[in-house]
């Protein structure tokens, strides 16, 4: 469903924004719980290399959530387009693909 706002003339994709908010919520809470469980309680009984890989995957996903998805959500909520400038757009996409590649490399090590 697309909702038109009368004051700015822009449209917001409500299901898309809700989906991004859900991804942000689960990305931050889920990866924080994984890191907390591994670091504080030694919850996973894995060898040190596997534990290191899982921790790095959680950190990579948490950084992706905070540095890529949050700016995207802010832009969508404010004006339904990228409002943070060309430099931050380039940096955000650099982060996005860097986190993707690092996650793929880490998963291949498993």
């Amino acid at each position: 469903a697309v909702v038109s706002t009368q004051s700015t003339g822009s449209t917001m994709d409500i299901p898309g924004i809700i989906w991004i908010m859900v991804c942000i919520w689960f990305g931050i809470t889920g990866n924080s719980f994984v890191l907390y469980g591994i670091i504080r309680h030694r919850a996973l009984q894995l060898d040190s290399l596997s534990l290191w890989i899982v921790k790095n995957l959680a950190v990579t996903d948490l950084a992706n959530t905070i540095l890529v998805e949050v700016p995207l959500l802010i832009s969508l909520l404010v004006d339904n387009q990228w409002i943070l400038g060309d430099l931050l757009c380039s940096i955000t996409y650099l982060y996005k693909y860097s986190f993707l590649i690092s996650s793929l490399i880490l998963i291949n090590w498993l």
Side-chain angles (χ1 to χ4, degrees), residues 40-96:
R40 181 78 172 139
H41 297 292
R42 306 278 183 220
L44 291 176
Q45 302 299 323
L46 299 172
D47 60 292
S48 61
L49 180 62
S50 296
L51 201 58
W52 180 82
I53 291 171
V54 170
K55 277 195 286 190
N56 281 313
L57 280 171
V59 167
T60 301
D61 193 36
L62 188 62
N64 182 51
T65 301
I66 293 170
L67 296 174
V68 175
E69 291 182 21
V70 170
L72 178 63
L73 178 67
I74 290 169
S75 292
L76 288 175
L77 287 176
V78 171
D79 198 21
N80 202 30
Q81 64 182 358
W82 188 258
I83 59 166
L84 301 175
D86 291 337
L87 179 64
L88 281 177
C89 180
S90 299
I91 291 171
T92 299
Y93 277 96
L94 174 69
Y95 283 150
K96 176 182 178 180

Short mmCIF file of all heavy atoms in Angstrom, two decimals, residues 40-96:
data_model
loop_
_atom_site.label_atom_id
_atom_site.label_comp_id
_atom_site.label_asym_id
_atom_site.label_seq_id
_atom_site.Cartn_x
_atom_site.Cartn_y
_atom_site.Cartn_z
N ARG A 40 29.79 -13.28 27.26
CA ARG A 40 29.54 -13.25 28.71
C ARG A 40 29.34 -14.64 29.30
O ARG A 40 29.84 -14.93 30.38
CB ARG A 40 28.31 -12.38 28.98
CG ARG A 40 27.94 -12.24 30.41
CD ARG A 40 28.84 -11.24 31.08
NE ARG A 40 28.33 -11.00 32.41
CZ ARG A 40 29.08 -10.88 33.48
NH1 ARG A 40 30.38 -10.93 33.35
NH2 ARG A 40 28.55 -10.68 34.65
N HIS A 41 28.61 -15.49 28.63
CA HIS A 41 28.22 -16.77 29.22
C HIS A 41 28.83 -17.99 28.55
O HIS A 41 28.55 -19.10 28.95
CB HIS A 41 26.69 -16.91 29.20
CG HIS A 41 26.00 -15.88 30.01
ND1 HIS A 41 26.08 -15.82 31.37
CD2 HIS A 41 25.23 -14.82 29.64
CE1 HIS A 41 25.38 -14.78 31.82
NE2 HIS A 41 24.85 -14.17 30.79
N ARG A 42 29.62 -17.77 27.51
CA ARG A 42 30.20 -18.90 26.77
C ARG A 42 29.11 -19.91 26.39
O ARG A 42 29.23 -21.11 26.60
CB ARG A 42 31.29 -19.60 27.57
CG ARG A 42 32.37 -18.71 28.07
CD ARG A 42 33.38 -18.48 26.98
NE ARG A 42 34.48 -17.67 27.52
CZ ARG A 42 35.06 -16.71 26.85
NH1 ARG A 42 34.65 -16.44 25.64
NH2 ARG A 42 36.02 -16.01 27.36
N ALA A 43 28.03 -19.37 25.82
CA ALA A 43 26.83 -20.17 25.54
C ALA A 43 27.05 -21.22 24.46
O ALA A 43 26.46 -22.30 24.51
CB ALA A 43 25.67 -19.26 25.16
N LEU A 44 27.87 -20.92 23.48
CA LEU A 44 28.11 -21.88 22.41
C LEU A 44 29.36 -22.69 22.73
O LEU A 44 30.40 -22.14 23.03
CB LEU A 44 28.30 -21.16 21.07
CG LEU A 44 27.07 -20.49 20.49
CD1 LEU A 44 27.45 -19.74 19.23
CD2 LEU A 44 25.99 -21.49 20.19
N GLN A 45 29.22 -23.98 22.66
CA GLN A 45 30.36 -24.87 22.92
C GLN A 45 30.98 -25.28 21.58
O GLN A 45 30.75 -26.37 21.09
CB GLN A 45 29.88 -26.10 23.71
CG GLN A 45 29.24 -25.77 25.04
CD GLN A 45 30.19 -25.05 25.98
OE1 GLN A 45 31.38 -25.34 26.01
NE2 GLN A 45 29.67 -24.09 26.72
N LEU A 46 31.74 -24.38 21.01
CA LEU A 46 32.40 -24.62 19.72
C LEU A 46 33.90 -24.50 19.91
O LEU A 46 34.38 -23.94 20.90
CB LEU A 46 31.92 -23.61 18.68
CG LEU A 46 30.45 -23.59 18.32
CD1 LEU A 46 30.16 -22.40 17.43
CD2 LEU A 46 30.05 -24.88 17.63
N ASP A 47 34.64 -24.99 18.94
CA ASP A 47 36.08 -24.77 18.99
C ASP A 47 36.36 -23.28 18.78
O ASP A 47 35.50 -22.52 18.34
CB ASP A 47 36.79 -25.63 17.93
CG ASP A 47 36.34 -25.30 16.52
OD1 ASP A 47 35.17 -25.59 16.19
OD2 ASP A 47 37.15 -24.77 15.78
N SER A 48 37.56 -22.84 19.09
CA SER A 48 37.85 -21.41 19.10
C SER A 48 37.72 -20.77 17.71
O SER A 48 37.26 -19.63 17.60
CB SER A 48 39.24 -21.16 19.66
OG SER A 48 40.22 -21.80 18.86
N LEU A 49 38.07 -21.48 16.65
CA LEU A 49 37.95 -20.92 15.31
C LEU A 49 36.48 -20.71 14.94
O LEU A 49 36.09 -19.64 14.45
CB LEU A 49 38.63 -21.80 14.27
CG LEU A 49 38.54 -21.30 12.83
CD1 LEU A 49 39.23 -19.94 12.68
CD2 LEU A 49 39.13 -22.31 11.87
N SER A 50 35.64 -21.70 15.20
CA SER A 50 34.20 -21.56 14.89
C SER A 50 33.57 -20.46 15.73
O SER A 50 32.73 -19.69 15.24
CB SER A 50 33.48 -22.88 15.13
OG SER A 50 33.96 -23.86 14.27
N LEU A 51 33.98 -20.35 16.98
CA LEU A 51 33.46 -19.30 17.85
C LEU A 51 33.87 -17.92 17.33
O LEU A 51 33.07 -16.99 17.32
CB LEU A 51 33.98 -19.51 19.27
CG LEU A 51 33.24 -18.87 20.40
CD1 LEU A 51 31.80 -19.33 20.42
CD2 LEU A 51 33.92 -19.19 21.71
N TRP A 52 35.11 -17.82 16.87
CA TRP A 52 35.60 -16.57 16.31
C TRP A 52 34.80 -16.19 15.06
O TRP A 52 34.44 -15.03 14.87
CB TRP A 52 37.09 -16.72 15.98
CG TRP A 52 37.71 -15.51 15.39
CD1 TRP A 52 38.17 -14.41 16.07
CD2 TRP A 52 37.94 -15.25 14.01
NE1 TRP A 52 38.68 -13.50 15.18
CE2 TRP A 52 38.55 -13.99 13.91
CE3 TRP A 52 37.70 -15.97 12.83
CZ2 TRP A 52 38.91 -13.43 12.70
CZ3 TRP A 52 38.06 -15.40 11.63
CH2 TRP A 52 38.67 -14.15 11.57
N ILE A 53 34.50 -17.16 14.22
CA ILE A 53 33.75 -16.91 12.99
C ILE A 53 32.33 -16.46 13.32
O ILE A 53 31.81 -15.49 12.73
CB ILE A 53 33.75 -18.15 12.08
CG1 ILE A 53 35.16 -18.37 11.52
CG2 ILE A 53 32.76 -18.01 10.93
CD1 ILE A 53 35.34 -19.69 10.79
N VAL A 54 31.67 -17.12 14.28
CA VAL A 54 30.30 -16.74 14.65
C VAL A 54 30.28 -15.34 15.25
O VAL A 54 29.39 -14.53 14.93
CB VAL A 54 29.69 -17.78 15.63
CG1 VAL A 54 28.39 -17.29 16.21
CG2 VAL A 54 29.49 -19.11 14.92
N LYS A 55 31.25 -15.02 16.08
CA LYS A 55 31.32 -13.66 16.64
C LYS A 55 31.51 -12.63 15.54
O LYS A 55 30.85 -11.59 15.55
CB LYS A 55 32.48 -13.55 17.64
CG LYS A 55 32.16 -14.04 19.02
CD LYS A 55 33.18 -13.58 20.02
CE LYS A 55 34.46 -14.36 19.87
NZ LYS A 55 35.42 -14.12 20.97
N ASN A 56 32.38 -12.91 14.60
CA ASN A 56 32.61 -11.95 13.52
C ASN A 56 31.40 -11.81 12.61
O ASN A 56 31.12 -10.71 12.12
CB ASN A 56 33.85 -12.34 12.72
CG ASN A 56 35.11 -11.92 13.42
OD1 ASN A 56 35.21 -10.81 13.89
ND2 ASN A 56 36.06 -12.82 13.51
N LEU A 57 30.67 -12.89 12.38
CA LEU A 57 29.42 -12.78 11.61
C LEU A 57 28.41 -11.91 12.34
O LEU A 57 27.72 -11.09 11.72
CB LEU A 57 28.83 -14.16 11.34
CG LEU A 57 29.46 -14.95 10.20
CD1 LEU A 57 28.92 -16.38 10.20
CD2 LEU A 57 29.19 -14.29 8.87
N ALA A 58 28.30 -12.07 13.65
CA ALA A 58 27.36 -11.26 14.43
C ALA A 58 27.77 -9.79 14.40
O ALA A 58 26.92 -8.90 14.24
CB ALA A 58 27.27 -11.77 15.86
N VAL A 59 29.06 -9.52 14.53
CA VAL A 59 29.54 -8.13 14.49
C VAL A 59 29.30 -7.53 13.11
O VAL A 59 28.85 -6.38 12.99
CB VAL A 59 31.03 -8.06 14.88
CG1 VAL A 59 31.63 -6.71 14.56
CG2 VAL A 59 31.20 -8.37 16.36
N THR A 60 29.59 -8.29 12.07
CA THR A 60 29.38 -7.80 10.70
C THR A 60 27.91 -7.49 10.44
O THR A 60 27.58 -6.45 9.87
CB THR A 60 29.88 -8.85 9.69
OG1 THR A 60 31.26 -9.08 9.92
CG2 THR A 60 29.69 -8.38 8.27
N ASP A 61 27.03 -8.37 10.87
CA ASP A 61 25.60 -8.15 10.65
C ASP A 61 25.09 -6.98 11.50
O ASP A 61 24.26 -6.20 11.04
CB ASP A 61 24.82 -9.43 10.97
CG ASP A 61 23.40 -9.36 10.46
OD1 ASP A 61 23.18 -8.78 9.38
OD2 ASP A 61 22.50 -9.88 11.14
N LEU A 62 25.59 -6.84 12.71
CA LEU A 62 25.19 -5.72 13.56
C LEU A 62 25.66 -4.40 12.95
O LEU A 62 24.89 -3.43 12.90
CB LEU A 62 25.77 -5.91 14.96
CG LEU A 62 25.33 -4.96 16.04
CD1 LEU A 62 23.83 -5.07 16.28
CD2 LEU A 62 26.07 -5.27 17.34
N ALA A 63 26.88 -4.37 12.45
CA ALA A 63 27.39 -3.15 11.81
C ALA A 63 26.60 -2.83 10.55
O ALA A 63 26.29 -1.66 10.27
CB ALA A 63 28.88 -3.31 11.50
N ASN A 64 26.24 -3.85 9.77
CA ASN A 64 25.43 -3.64 8.58
C ASN A 64 24.07 -3.05 8.95
O ASN A 64 23.57 -2.14 8.29
CB ASN A 64 25.25 -4.95 7.81
CG ASN A 64 24.45 -4.77 6.55
OD1 ASN A 64 24.74 -3.90 5.75
ND2 ASN A 64 23.43 -5.59 6.38
N THR A 65 23.48 -3.57 9.99
CA THR A 65 22.17 -3.07 10.43
C THR A 65 22.26 -1.60 10.82
O THR A 65 21.44 -0.78 10.42
CB THR A 65 21.65 -3.90 11.61
OG1 THR A 65 21.54 -5.26 11.20
CG2 THR A 65 20.30 -3.40 12.08
N ILE A 66 23.29 -1.25 11.59
CA ILE A 66 23.39 0.11 12.11
C ILE A 66 23.87 1.09 11.03
O ILE A 66 23.34 2.20 10.92
CB ILE A 66 24.33 0.14 13.32
CG1 ILE A 66 23.68 -0.63 14.48
CG2 ILE A 66 24.65 1.56 13.74
CD1 ILE A 66 24.59 -0.89 15.65
N LEU A 67 24.84 0.70 10.22
CA LEU A 67 25.44 1.64 9.28
C LEU A 67 24.79 1.66 7.90
O LEU A 67 25.03 2.59 7.13
CB LEU A 67 26.93 1.32 9.12
CG LEU A 67 27.77 1.49 10.38
CD1 LEU A 67 29.19 1.02 10.14
CD2 LEU A 67 27.75 2.93 10.85
N VAL A 68 23.97 0.66 7.57
CA VAL A 68 23.32 0.64 6.25
C VAL A 68 21.81 0.75 6.37
O VAL A 68 21.19 1.61 5.74
CB VAL A 68 23.71 -0.64 5.47
CG1 VAL A 68 22.95 -0.73 4.16
CG2 VAL A 68 25.21 -0.67 5.22
N GLU A 69 21.19 -0.09 7.19
CA GLU A 69 19.73 -0.11 7.24
C GLU A 69 19.13 1.09 7.97
O GLU A 69 18.08 1.58 7.57
CB GLU A 69 19.26 -1.41 7.88
CG GLU A 69 19.51 -2.62 7.01
CD GLU A 69 19.01 -3.91 7.62
OE1 GLU A 69 18.13 -3.85 8.50
OE2 GLU A 69 19.49 -4.97 7.23
N VAL A 70 19.77 1.56 9.02
CA VAL A 70 19.23 2.71 9.76
C VAL A 70 19.22 3.98 8.91
O VAL A 70 18.20 4.67 8.84
CB VAL A 70 19.96 2.90 11.11
CG1 VAL A 70 19.58 4.21 11.75
CG2 VAL A 70 19.66 1.73 12.04
N PRO A 71 20.33 4.32 8.21
CA PRO A 71 20.25 5.50 7.32
C PRO A 71 19.19 5.36 6.22
O PRO A 71 18.53 6.32 5.86
CB PRO A 71 21.65 5.61 6.72
CG PRO A 71 22.53 4.94 7.68
CD PRO A 71 21.71 3.83 8.28
N LEU A 72 19.03 4.14 5.70
CA LEU A 72 18.01 3.90 4.68
C LEU A 72 16.62 4.15 5.26
O LEU A 72 15.78 4.80 4.64
CB LEU A 72 18.11 2.48 4.15
CG LEU A 72 17.09 2.06 3.11
CD1 LEU A 72 17.22 2.90 1.86
CD2 LEU A 72 17.24 0.59 2.79
N LEU A 73 16.37 3.64 6.47
CA LEU A 73 15.07 3.86 7.10
C LEU A 73 14.82 5.34 7.37
O LEU A 73 13.72 5.84 7.12
CB LEU A 73 14.97 3.07 8.41
CG LEU A 73 13.66 3.25 9.19
CD1 LEU A 73 12.50 2.66 8.41
CD2 LEU A 73 13.76 2.63 10.56
N ILE A 74 15.83 6.04 7.84
CA ILE A 74 15.68 7.48 8.10
C ILE A 74 15.31 8.21 6.80
O ILE A 74 14.40 9.05 6.79
CB ILE A 74 16.96 8.06 8.71
CG1 ILE A 74 17.15 7.53 10.14
CG2 ILE A 74 16.94 9.57 8.70
CD1 ILE A 74 18.50 7.84 10.73
N SER A 75 15.99 7.88 5.73
CA SER A 75 15.70 8.52 4.44
C SER A 75 14.29 8.23 3.97
O SER A 75 13.59 9.11 3.48
CB SER A 75 16.68 8.05 3.38
OG SER A 75 17.96 8.52 3.66
N LEU A 76 13.85 6.97 4.13
CA LEU A 76 12.50 6.62 3.70
C LEU A 76 11.43 7.29 4.55
O LEU A 76 10.39 7.70 4.04
CB LEU A 76 12.31 5.11 3.74
CG LEU A 76 13.04 4.31 2.65
CD1 LEU A 76 12.86 2.82 2.89
CD2 LEU A 76 12.54 4.70 1.28
N LEU A 77 11.68 7.41 5.84
CA LEU A 77 10.69 8.04 6.71
C LEU A 77 10.58 9.54 6.49
O LEU A 77 9.51 10.11 6.59
CB LEU A 77 11.03 7.76 8.18
CG LEU A 77 10.77 6.34 8.66
CD1 LEU A 77 11.24 6.18 10.09
CD2 LEU A 77 9.31 5.95 8.52
N VAL A 78 11.69 10.19 6.17
CA VAL A 78 11.67 11.64 6.02
C VAL A 78 11.10 12.06 4.68
O VAL A 78 10.21 12.89 4.61
CB VAL A 78 13.09 12.22 6.23
CG1 VAL A 78 13.13 13.69 5.87
CG2 VAL A 78 13.53 12.02 7.66
N ASP A 79 11.61 11.48 3.58
CA ASP A 79 11.20 12.00 2.28
C ASP A 79 11.04 10.94 1.20
O ASP A 79 10.90 11.26 0.03
CB ASP A 79 12.18 13.06 1.80
CG ASP A 79 11.61 13.95 0.72
OD1 ASP A 79 10.38 14.02 0.60
OD2 ASP A 79 12.41 14.55 -0.02
N ASN A 80 11.11 9.66 1.56
CA ASN A 80 10.96 8.55 0.61
C ASN A 80 12.00 8.60 -0.51
O ASN A 80 11.77 8.11 -1.60
CB ASN A 80 9.56 8.50 0.04
CG ASN A 80 9.22 7.12 -0.50
OD1 ASN A 80 9.74 6.13 -0.01
ND2 ASN A 80 8.38 7.06 -1.51
N GLN A 81 13.14 9.22 -0.23
CA GLN A 81 14.26 9.21 -1.14
C GLN A 81 15.52 9.44 -0.31
O GLN A 81 15.45 9.78 0.86
CB GLN A 81 14.13 10.29 -2.21
CG GLN A 81 14.14 11.70 -1.68
CD GLN A 81 13.95 12.71 -2.79
OE1 GLN A 81 13.85 12.36 -3.94
NE2 GLN A 81 13.90 13.98 -2.44
N TRP A 82 16.68 9.23 -0.90
CA TRP A 82 17.93 9.40 -0.18
C TRP A 82 18.16 10.89 0.06
O TRP A 82 18.28 11.67 -0.87
CB TRP A 82 19.08 8.79 -0.96
CG TRP A 82 20.34 8.79 -0.17
CD1 TRP A 82 21.38 9.66 -0.30
CD2 TRP A 82 20.69 7.90 0.87
NE1 TRP A 82 22.35 9.37 0.61
CE2 TRP A 82 21.96 8.28 1.35
CE3 TRP A 82 20.06 6.81 1.47
CZ2 TRP A 82 22.61 7.62 2.38
CZ3 TRP A 82 20.71 6.15 2.49
CH2 TRP A 82 21.96 6.55 2.93
N ILE A 83 18.21 11.29 1.33
CA ILE A 83 18.34 12.71 1.67
C ILE A 83 19.69 13.03 2.31
O ILE A 83 19.93 14.17 2.66
CB ILE A 83 17.22 13.15 2.62
CG1 ILE A 83 17.26 12.34 3.90
CG2 ILE A 83 15.87 13.07 1.95
CD1 ILE A 83 16.42 12.90 5.02
N LEU A 84 20.54 12.04 2.47
CA LEU A 84 21.77 12.25 3.23
C LEU A 84 22.98 12.62 2.37
O LEU A 84 24.10 12.62 2.84
CB LEU A 84 22.07 11.00 4.06
CG LEU A 84 20.96 10.61 5.05
CD1 LEU A 84 21.27 9.30 5.73
CD2 LEU A 84 20.73 11.71 6.06
N GLY A 85 22.77 12.91 1.12
CA GLY A 85 23.84 13.38 0.25
C GLY A 85 24.56 12.27 -0.50
O GLY A 85 24.47 11.10 -0.15
N ASP A 86 25.28 12.68 -1.54
CA ASP A 86 25.97 11.72 -2.40
C ASP A 86 27.12 11.02 -1.68
O ASP A 86 27.34 9.83 -1.89
CB ASP A 86 26.50 12.42 -3.65
CG ASP A 86 25.39 12.87 -4.57
OD1 ASP A 86 24.29 12.28 -4.48
OD2 ASP A 86 25.62 13.79 -5.36
N LEU A 87 27.85 11.74 -0.84
CA LEU A 87 28.98 11.13 -0.13
C LEU A 87 28.51 10.03 0.81
O LEU A 87 29.06 8.92 0.80
CB LEU A 87 29.77 12.19 0.63
CG LEU A 87 30.96 11.67 1.43
CD1 LEU A 87 32.00 11.08 0.48
CD2 LEU A 87 31.56 12.77 2.28
N LEU A 88 27.49 10.30 1.61
CA LEU A 88 26.98 9.27 2.51
C LEU A 88 26.32 8.13 1.76
O LEU A 88 26.35 6.99 2.22
CB LEU A 88 26.00 9.88 3.53
CG LEU A 88 26.65 10.62 4.68
CD1 LEU A 88 25.59 11.25 5.57
CD2 LEU A 88 27.54 9.71 5.48
N CYS A 89 25.76 8.40 0.60
CA CYS A 89 25.21 7.33 -0.23
C CYS A 89 26.33 6.39 -0.67
O CYS A 89 26.21 5.17 -0.57
CB CYS A 89 24.50 7.91 -1.45
SG CYS A 89 23.79 6.68 -2.54
N SER A 90 27.42 6.95 -1.14
CA SER A 90 28.56 6.14 -1.56
C SER A 90 29.15 5.36 -0.39
O SER A 90 29.48 4.18 -0.52
CB SER A 90 29.63 7.02 -2.19
OG SER A 90 29.14 7.66 -3.32
N ILE A 91 29.29 6.01 0.75
CA ILE A 91 29.85 5.34 1.93
C ILE A 91 28.93 4.23 2.40
O ILE A 91 29.39 3.13 2.76
CB ILE A 91 30.12 6.37 3.05
CG1 ILE A 91 31.27 7.29 2.65
CG2 ILE A 91 30.41 5.68 4.37
CD1 ILE A 91 31.48 8.46 3.58
N THR A 92 27.62 4.47 2.39
CA THR A 92 26.67 3.45 2.82
C THR A 92 26.74 2.23 1.92
O THR A 92 26.76 1.10 2.41
CB THR A 92 25.25 4.04 2.82
OG1 THR A 92 25.21 5.13 3.74
CG2 THR A 92 24.23 3.01 3.27
N TYR A 93 26.82 2.43 0.62
CA TYR A 93 26.90 1.29 -0.28
C TYR A 93 28.27 0.60 -0.19
O TYR A 93 28.35 -0.62 -0.36
CB TYR A 93 26.56 1.69 -1.72
CG TYR A 93 25.07 1.69 -1.90
CD1 TYR A 93 24.33 2.84 -1.78
CD2 TYR A 93 24.40 0.50 -2.13
CE1 TYR A 93 22.96 2.83 -1.91
CE2 TYR A 93 23.02 0.48 -2.25
CZ TYR A 93 22.31 1.65 -2.15
OH TYR A 93 20.95 1.62 -2.25
N LEU A 94 29.31 1.36 0.10
CA LEU A 94 30.61 0.74 0.34
C LEU A 94 30.52 -0.18 1.56
O LEU A 94 31.00 -1.32 1.54
CB LEU A 94 31.68 1.81 0.55
CG LEU A 94 33.05 1.30 0.97
CD1 LEU A 94 33.70 0.55 -0.19
CD2 LEU A 94 33.92 2.45 1.44
N TYR A 95 29.91 0.30 2.64
CA TYR A 95 29.70 -0.53 3.84
C TYR A 95 28.86 -1.76 3.51
O TYR A 95 29.18 -2.86 3.92
CB TYR A 95 29.00 0.26 4.94
CG TYR A 95 29.87 1.23 5.70
CD1 TYR A 95 29.33 2.38 6.23
CD2 TYR A 95 31.22 0.99 5.89
CE1 TYR A 95 30.10 3.27 6.94
CE2 TYR A 95 32.00 1.89 6.58
CZ TYR A 95 31.44 3.03 7.11
OH TYR A 95 32.21 3.90 7.82
N LYS A 96 27.78 -1.53 2.78
CA LYS A 96 26.86 -2.62 2.46
C LYS A 96 27.58 -3.77 1.77
O LYS A 96 27.47 -4.93 2.17
CB LYS A 96 25.72 -2.10 1.57
CG LYS A 96 24.76 -3.16 1.11
CD LYS A 96 23.71 -2.55 0.19
CE LYS A 96 22.76 -3.60 -0.34
NZ LYS A 96 21.76 -3.01 -1.22
#
